[in-house]
């Protein structure tokens, strides 16, 4: 969500800009509460007794689907391109190699099948010095999210992984914009 995508306006026409948002946690045990998001706005009409109603407009949101992932097996010795079908769309691994702590993939995703996809090796959990290296000094080399770009159908990915002959790679759909364009009217009268 962005400041332009979410607007809070009172019945006097004053707009309160979105400051931030976060997922809601239950205070007792700090567990994630699915489907609940707190929106924080700059300033507040709460203490202005002349404000009787608010309008919350939501233009668009971005959604991720981390609960329904899919995976495929990739061998560095297999013939390329390797076709991959994910969420009903096609893509292909055109090249794969291992280099300097990363599985490097050259992925082709046709424009008609564009979507943001995160790639990861679920069995790989870097620890200690290895974790410090890959999340610290080499963090800028890590690129495990395919973000489609207009006019582009080829993408280079670098996924942290141990060197092996065969990899199990998990794919998760990430951050697709969904147009909402709705306004919710909130009555503040007692």
């Amino acid at each position: 969500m962005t400041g332009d995508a979410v607007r809070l306006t009172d019945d006097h026409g004053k707009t309160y800009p979105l400051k931030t948002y976060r997922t809601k946690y239950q205070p007792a045990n700090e567990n994630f509460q699915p489907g609940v998001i707190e929106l924080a706005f700059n300033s507040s009409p709460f203490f202005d007794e002349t404000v009787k109603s608010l309008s919350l407009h939501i233009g668009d949101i971005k959604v991720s689907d981390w609960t329904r992932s899919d995976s495929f097996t990739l061998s560095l010795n297999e013939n390329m391109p390797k076709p991959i079908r994910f969420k009903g769309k096609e893509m292909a691994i055109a090249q794969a190699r291992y280099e300097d702590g990363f599985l490097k993939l050259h992925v082709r995703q046709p424009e008609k099948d564009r979507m943001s996809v995160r790639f990861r090796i679920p069995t790989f959990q870097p620890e200690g010095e290895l974790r410090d290296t890959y999340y610290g000094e080499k963090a800028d080399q890590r690129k495990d999210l395919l973000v489609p770009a207009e006019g582009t159908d080829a993408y280079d990915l670098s996924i942290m992984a141990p060197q092996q002959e065969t990899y199990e790679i998990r794919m998760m759909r990430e951050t697709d914009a969904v147009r909402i364009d709705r306004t919710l009217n909130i009555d503040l009268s007692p």
Side-chain angles (χ1 to χ4, degrees):
M1 286 183 277
T2 64
D4 295 336
V6 177
R7 283 190 317 274
L8 183 66
T9 307
D10 67 23
D11 56 350
H12 301 295
K14 182 177 178 184
T15 300
Y16 303 88
L18 179 66
K19 179 181 177 183
T20 188
Y21 64 93
R22 65 178 182 222
T23 55
K24 176 73 175 162
Y25 289 87
Q26 296 172 349
N29 57 10
E30 296 296 312
N31 287 332
F32 174 68
Q33 223 177 335
V36 179
I37 297 173
E38 289 182 355
L39 303 174
F41 295 90
N42 279 340
S43 188
S44 170
F46 186 75
F47 298 105
D48 183 348
E49 294 178 11
T50 65
V51 174
K52 302 296 179 205
S53 66
L54 298 169
S55 294
L56 176 65
H57 179 80
I58 300 175
D60 61 72
I61 59 172
K62 292 192 176 185
V63 296
S64 296
D65 186 7
W66 290 0
T67 59
R68 293 193 196 119
S69 62
D70 204 355
S71 61
F72 65 95
T73 302
L74 175 73
S75 170
L76 294 179
N77 298 324
E78 68 184 279
N79 292 329
M80 300 290 171
K82 179 183 179 85
I84 305 294
R85 188 161 180 79
F86 180 61
K87 304 280 186 192
K89 298 188 178 194
E90 299 288 332
M91 66 182 79
I93 308 297
Q95 297 173 352
R97 71 183 193 285
Y98 186 84
E99 180 182 301
D100 195 28
F102 293 92
L103 174 61
K104 302 214 174 202
L105 303 177
H106 184 73
V107 181
R108 299 191 72 76
Q109 183 185 61
E111 272 199 67
K112 67 178 178 60
D113 287 341
R114 297 171 72 184
M115 71 173 113
S116 296
V117 180
R118 182 165 305 275
F119 292 75
R120 68 183 207 89
I121 312 292
T123 58
F124 179 63
Q125 299 298 324
E127 296 176 1
E129 187 178 317
L130 186 61
R131 179 181 172 79
D132 295 344
T133 299
Y134 289 133
Y135 286 97
E137 66 189 59
K138 289 190 177 184
D140 61 330
Q141 296 176 30
R142 190 171 29 113
K143 185 176 180 214
D144 55 7
L145 178 61
L146 185 155
V147 179
E150 194 72 37
T152 302
D153 69 352
Y155 304 89
D156 290 314
L157 300 174
S158 295
I159 306 164
M160 289 188 302
Q163 187 167 7
Q164 21 187 94
E165 286 298 315
T166 303
Y167 294 91
E168 182 75 20
I169 301 172
R170 179 169 291 152
M171 300 183 303
M172 297 164 286
R173 192 163 186 178
E174 182 151 332
T175 59
D176 282 333
V178 175
R179 187 80 183 139
I180 303 294
D181 202 23
R182 299 280 165 93
T183 301
L184 174 66
N185 294 311
I186 305 162
D187 185 8
L188 299 178
S189 18

